Amino acid sequence: MLICSCNIIAKREIEDVVRKFLAEDPWQLITPVKVYYELEKRGRCCGCFPNVINIIVSETEMFHRDASTPDAVILPFIAKIKEEHQRCETSRQLLRRQAASAKKVSQK
């Protein structure tokens, strides 16, 4: 399944990179930028980032469940990941709006 049409990145490629990172450090925060850097790509329109985040979260949860990490440890960690990604997404959207507003002002 194609996740990023700008860079032609498949879901499987993202899952593989996330699993690689988790094998190195199961408690690290993985971001779309980190995944793209590993794939030697860069975000262009970044419209795929919400889907990439969903893949990161699901792969991280699956990794920890397969490792028999207790729910009392997994659930707060997954919540923390989701919260951090939401914070980043909110910041990204705010910056995009500010850039669009600045562009409108400069065109007047």
Side-chain angles (χ1 to χ4, degrees):
M1 172 183 208
L2 190 63
I3 298 298
C4 175
S5 58
C6 294
N7 289 295
I8 316 298
I9 300 173
K11 181 179 180 186
R12 173 59 61 192
E13 292 174 278
I14 296 167
E15 291 169 340
D16 291 345
V17 168
V18 171
R19 281 193 223 104
K20 176 186 177 274
F21 287 145
L22 291 169
E24 294 168 0
D25 177 4
W27 302 106
Q28 67 180 299
L29 177 63
I30 302 169
T31 63
V33 172
K34 189 172 182 173
V35 171
Y36 276 52
Y37 185 81
E38 181 69 18
L39 293 169
E40 298 179 354
K41 307 285 184 181
R42 66 177 186 78
R44 293 186 182 173
C45 77
C46 302
C48 58
F49 277 19
N51 289 331
V52 174
I53 290 167
N54 290 336
I55 294 167
I56 292 168
V57 170
S58 66
E59 285 299 311
T60 301
E61 184 173 5
M62 195 177 342
F63 177 89
H64 284 284
R65 292 206 182 280
D66 290 347
S68 299
T69 306
D71 278 352
V73 177
I74 294 174
L75 298 178
F77 182 64
I78 296 301
K80 182 179 173 184
I81 292 172
K82 287 179 181 179
E83 179 182 310
E84 182 61 21
H85 283 299
Q86 185 56 50
R87 186 187 66 75
C88 291
E89 180 62 18
T90 300
S91 296
R92 186 181 71 82
Q93 288 175 356
L94 186 66
L95 288 170
R96 288 181 81 166
R97 280 191 222 122
Q98 289 173 347
S101 294
K103 185 177 179 181
K104 286 180 186 178
V105 169
S106 69
Q107 290 175 348
K108 289 183 180 180

